[in-house]
Amino acid sequence: MARTNRSHNLMLSGGLVLAFVACVLFSLTLTRGSEGVAVIWLASGILAAAFLLLPWRWSLGMVVICFSFNFGYNLVVGNSPIASFIFPVLTFSEAFGAAWLARRTCGATVRLTSFNRVARLLLLAVAPATAASALAAADIFTIYGRNFDSVLTSWFYGHALGMAIMLPAVLLIARPEMVRDFRRSPWEEIGLYALIAAVSTLIFLPVRFPMPLLIFPALALLSFRLGPRGAAVSALIMAAILSSLVIVVSTPPNQATWTLAEKTRGLQFLIAVGFFTSLATAMAIANQKRMKRLWASRSRIARLAQARAVAAGLAKTEFLATMSHEIRTPMTSIVGFTEVLLKREDLPDPARRQLALIDRAGASLLTVVNDILDFSKVEAGEVELRPNQALPRAIAQDALAIVTEAARRKDIDLQLSFIGPVESPVLIDDLRVRQILLNLLSNAIKFTERGRVGLELQVFEQGDGAHLLRFKISDTGIGIPSDQVERLFKRFSQGDSSVSRTHGGTGLGLAICKGLTDLMGGKIGVTSTLGAGSTFWFELIAPRAQTGAAAKPARPDDGPLKARILLVDDHPMNRELGATVLGLLGCEVVLAENGEEGVAAAKIGDCDLILMDVHMPRMDGLEATRAIRALGGVNAVVPIIAMSADVMPEMEAACLKAGMNAAVGKPIQIQALHDVLAKWLSPDPNAAAA
């Protein structure tokens, strides 16, 4: 790396020294005026570029070489020893001042990546440095009998225009930051530069036409094709050709009365205007290309981030499915056997009380698991609304009936009130509305130690044939501080972190309520006073049900089922529990330990319904279901119900695709199992389809 840098610095120093020597020879030989000041002076721009591009020890070595040559050649062309010394001192001071100002105003690296940077370089570095050196030169040479105005004018025009052209051009050529957007074939570059040279030569044709105008379309073409670096090279080509021709070629007709200095300065202005016009165009194009590249890069990064997010979502879904299965599998036995034991008549009261405590603890644990899964579904947008005909009054009464026992245990008074046409049927997903109500009612009971919990349902008719349903749940509990209210509907958040220790809970219930309310196009909120209770409310718009709309199927009869059930499950405890519960429901049970045994048992064809576990060794429930359906005959239509601790939507969809009729999650409670079996064992095909 050090050798590479040394080689680069050596090549750059050599190139700049040769350029400086060429500029000094040209300026002092062909353009030196009567005061000894050159009309064209490009050498200062090269020196300033050297101070900016080279390390200090390299630039100081170059200064020694260039200073010596400049001093010596001034003596050769006839300047006095004092003037020959003063000219290089002023030139090098001017270059150093411009470089120092450039670093102060344009940054340490002075990278010309935009025209704004070029303008700052010219106005804040080149102009002050050349103006200061012009004043110094005029003051010094006035002492030796030179004309102040003549020296000042000649020095400033020559040095300012020369540095304004040369310094940006050298920086752009030596640091081609934007060249990758303008890579062209060598033959195209040669052709475009040859075009600039030809047009520069045509300016001096002896015709009465403003030939300099031809330079601008040529520069515009070059800017579009070769960019800022091409504009810089073209400026140097123009400077070399025009500066030479203005001296050796006869004057064009439109400049017949101009002096040599006027013609030289006019061409310098032409070169500067053409250069900066083409440079501004090239930088605008380069900036556009850079923005497109940045947009493409950002788009690529966004796609990668989206892919990572999708992968993370899939990983989260897989993790939740695995954890759900691992937690629900042992809970199936805990909840199921607890229910079975509670139905026994010979239990002593202490044992029944202890079993009731186990049952409530299992229900609490199941609530936590369900909260996490429900929130995951809401957050992933996987909740599907299923509107059906329902009575607002019945929804409120059902929800209150479910929490009645919890309120009775805490000796809390439950109140229910109605306002409006609460008996008018509406189309709404009553299961999701009841879920919101149960969350809010459960919270109200949990955070109320004494007093009451009230549910008020208000129904207002809307002008468009819909109803506005407003549910209000109020309590006389602990209340919520005003500065913590806005945190309530955020995930994993509770009003006070100590609350979770006192009352328990995941902090997901209200987040689920808000997610479901938003999904149904409603609003939810709360008003609360610390120590005086809280009132939660939510509003939903529900279309009025059409007359004659299909009513929600009635709850299956709770009587014995009298059916032959094939139970396929690899877990011995689940098989024992399933057989026990099905026996209590009046069913005859056939057991199978895996999918292969389940398919073999189904071939006999004497089962009314199959309960199929999903995750099993050797042959899982999905493969077994496909095999049973392939048997044809009775097995093509026998109801197959999936039983799985994996309750994610993807698993339910996979079960239905494999040919199962429905899916229920573990742990399965006795009443829930009775309901699903009664529905699919119903002789009425319409009831089963519902």
Side-chain angles (χ1 to χ4, degrees):
M1 181 64 71
R3 181 176 297 178
T4 302
N5 290 337
R6 188 171 182 274
S7 177
H8 173 267
N9 290 332
L10 182 61
M11 292 179 60
L12 183 59
S13 298
L16 291 175
V17 168
L18 291 177
F20 178 84
V21 169
C23 290
V24 169
L25 289 173
F26 172 80
S27 298
L28 292 182
T29 303
L30 300 177
T31 71
R32 189 166 60 94
S34 58
E35 302 293 342
V37 179
V39 177
I40 298 176
W41 189 253
L42 304 172
S44 296
I46 295 174
L47 284 176
F51 286 125
L52 293 172
L53 294 171
L54 293 171
W56 280 111
R57 61 189 184 90
W58 286 87
S59 59
L60 290 176
M62 180 181 168
V63 164
V64 173
I65 296 173
C66 293
F67 186 93
S68 301
F69 175 80
N70 194 1
F71 173 73
Y73 196 70
N74 268 283
L75 292 174
V76 171
V77 297
N79 286 326
S80 65
I82 295 178
S84 299
F85 179 78
I86 292 174
F87 279 135
V89 169
L90 291 174
T91 296
F92 282 81
S93 300
E94 175 185 270
F96 180 81
W100 183 81
L101 289 172
R103 291 185 188 276
R104 299 285 293 181
T105 58
C106 302
T109 57
V110 195
R111 297 187 179 275
L112 304 182
T113 54
S114 67
F115 196 75
N116 179 49
R117 287 176 173 265
V118 175
R120 286 161 58 190
L121 176 68
L122 299 180
L123 296 176
L124 302 179
V126 172
T130 52
S133 64
L135 284 171
D139 286 336
I140 291 173
F141 285 104
T142 300
I143 300 174
Y144 298 98
R146 309 284 178 89
N147 182 274
F148 180 89
D149 292 338
S150 178
V151 173
L152 179 65
T153 304
S154 299
W155 188 286
F156 182 74
Y157 275 124
H159 286 237
L161 285 174
M163 186 180 288
I165 295 171
M166 186 60 69
L167 178 56
V170 174
L171 291 177
L172 287 169
I173 294 172
R175 290 175 173 170
E177 283 87 359
M178 294 175 281
V179 72
R180 65 174 178 174
D181 292 325
F182 298 92
R183 289 192 176 95
R184 301 289 182 260
S185 67
W187 290 110
E188 182 178 357
E189 290 191 28
I190 293 172
L192 289 171
Y193 291 138
L195 174 64
I196 295 298
V199 173
S200 299
T201 305
L202 290 176
I203 290 176
F204 285 85
L205 287 177
V207 295
R208 288 192 172 275
F209 180 81
M211 298 300 290
L213 294 178
L214 297 178
I215 201 69
F216 293 101
L219 288 173
L221 174 62
L222 190 137
S223 300
F224 274 98
R225 300 300 298 168
L226 300 183
R229 191 183 190 186
V233 174
S234 66
L236 297 183
I237 293 174
M238 290 171 56
I241 294 176
L242 293 179
S243 300
S244 302
L245 291 179
V246 76
I247 296 170
V248 300
V249 177
S250 60
T251 303
N254 56 351
Q255 299 177 4
T257 61
W258 290 17
T259 65
L260 177 61
E262 289 173 338
K263 289 187 292 183
T264 303
R265 290 167 186 164
L267 287 176
Q268 280 186 284
F269 273 113
L270 174 64
I271 295 169
V273 171
F275 172 45
F276 293 121
T277 302
S278 62
L279 183 60
T281 304
M283 285 189 165
I285 298 170
N287 185 62
Q288 184 184 39
K289 291 178 178 291
R290 187 166 62 251
M291 293 303 294
K292 287 183 178 179
R293 190 169 61 250
L294 180 62
W295 179 84
S297 175
R298 295 278 176 86
S299 299
R300 185 165 56 252
I301 293 172
R303 287 194 296 269
L304 291 175
Q306 183 181 21
R308 287 194 295 269
V310 171
L314 293 175
K316 182 182 74 172
T317 300
E318 183 177 353
F319 171 77
L320 287 174
T322 302
M323 293 306 298
S324 170
H325 184 270
E326 294 302 318
I327 294 174
R328 287 172 179 270
T329 297
M331 283 182 63
T332 299
S333 299
I334 296 172
V335 174
F337 279 119
T338 301
E339 279 197 286
V340 170
L341 288 173
L342 285 173
K343 289 184 175 293
R344 293 182 56 170
E345 301 293 340
D346 57 344
L347 285 177
D349 289 340
R352 185 174 298 279
R353 183 178 60 81
Q354 292 163 359
L355 282 174
L357 293 173
I358 295 174
D359 185 50
R360 286 201 294 272
S364 298
L365 180 58
L366 184 60
T367 299
V368 172
V369 176
N370 287 338
D371 278 353
I372 295 174
L373 295 175
D374 282 345
F375 179 77
S376 176
K377 293 176 185 178
V378 171
E379 194 177 46
E382 295 174 345
V383 175
E384 181 180 353
L385 297 178
R386 298 176 181 176
N388 52 67
Q389 180 176 323
L391 299 178
R393 182 188 185 102
I395 296 174
Q397 288 175 330
D398 289 347
L400 205 64
I402 294 174
V403 299
T404 297
E405 179 59 24
R408 185 192 62 78
R409 287 196 297 267
K410 296 185 70 174
D411 197 22
I412 294 174
D413 183 27
L414 288 181
Q415 299 176 358
L416 179 61
S417 60
F418 303 102
I419 298 176
V422 295
E423 298 286 353
S424 179
V426 296
L427 290 177
I428 198 169
D429 190 336
D430 59 321
L431 293 177
R432 294 301 180 185
V433 177
R434 191 176 295 111
Q435 183 178 1
I436 298 172
L437 283 173
L438 288 176
N439 261 315
L440 298 179
L441 287 169
S442 298
N443 275 351
I445 294 172
K446 180 168 65 174
F447 295 110
T448 301
E449 296 303 324
R450 65 179 65 86
R452 63 171 184 82
V453 170
L455 170 58
E456 179 181 323
L457 169 60
Q458 301 175 353
V459 179
F460 305 97
E461 294 187 4
Q462 303 290 298
D464 54 357
H467 286 82
L468 172 65
L469 277 59
R470 180 179 176 89
F471 296 88
K472 292 174 58 178
I473 297 90
S474 57
D475 62 63
T476 57
I478 61 177
I480 307 164
S482 57
D483 60 336
Q484 297 176 3
V485 168
E486 61 182 21
R487 297 171 46 196
L488 290 178
F489 296 101
K490 296 180 180 179
R491 59 182 181 176
F492 306 112
S493 176
Q494 290 176 321
D496 184 355
S497 59
S498 63
V499 169
S500 59
R501 297 188 180 95
T502 305
H503 299 277
T506 61
L508 288 176
L510 293 178
I512 295 170
C513 291
K514 179 169 174 47
L516 292 176
T517 305
D518 292 343
L519 185 64
M520 291 187 283
K523 298 184 295 183
I524 188 170
V526 59
T527 58
S528 182
T529 302
L530 187 63
S534 306
T535 298
F536 285 83
W537 58 267
F538 66 98
E539 295 178 349
L540 301 171
I541 299 292
R544 184 185 297 117
Q546 298 296 326
T547 304
K552 190 176 179 181
R555 180 185 179 90
D557 185 32
D558 288 339
L561 296 174
K562 304 295 184 183
R564 183 177 175 85
I565 306 295
L566 170 59
L567 174 62
V568 186
D569 199 310
D570 66 311
H571 201 289
M573 194 176 298
N574 288 346
R575 289 197 303 273
E576 180 180 351
L577 174 62
T580 303
V581 172
L582 291 171
L584 291 174
L585 297 178
C587 299
E588 180 184 351
V589 184
V590 178
L591 298 176
E593 295 185 6
N594 53 58
E596 291 179 350
E597 291 187 10
V599 174
K603 288 181 180 179
I604 302 174
D606 60 347
C607 292
D608 301 306
L609 185 142
I610 300 174
L611 288 173
M612 180 75 70
D613 188 21
V614 176
H615 298 286
M616 294 183 292
R618 297 174 63 178
M619 178 183 286
D620 63 26
L622 303 179
E623 187 179 354
T625 298
R626 287 190 285 266
I628 292 172
R629 294 304 188 203
L631 295 175
V634 175
N635 290 295
V637 296
V638 63
I640 302 179
I641 309 300
M643 290 196 312
S644 176
D646 183 354
V647 294
M648 300 303 289
E650 295 82 359
M651 180 54 65
E652 182 178 356
C655 292
L656 298 178
K657 185 177 180 181
M660 297 182 181
N661 299 87
V664 292
K666 296 178 181 178
I668 299 174
Q669 297 173 325
I670 295 177
Q671 186 59 55
L673 181 60
H674 178 278
D675 291 347
V676 73
L677 293 179
K679 182 175 74 172
W680 288 100
L681 291 170
S682 171
D684 181 4
N686 292 327

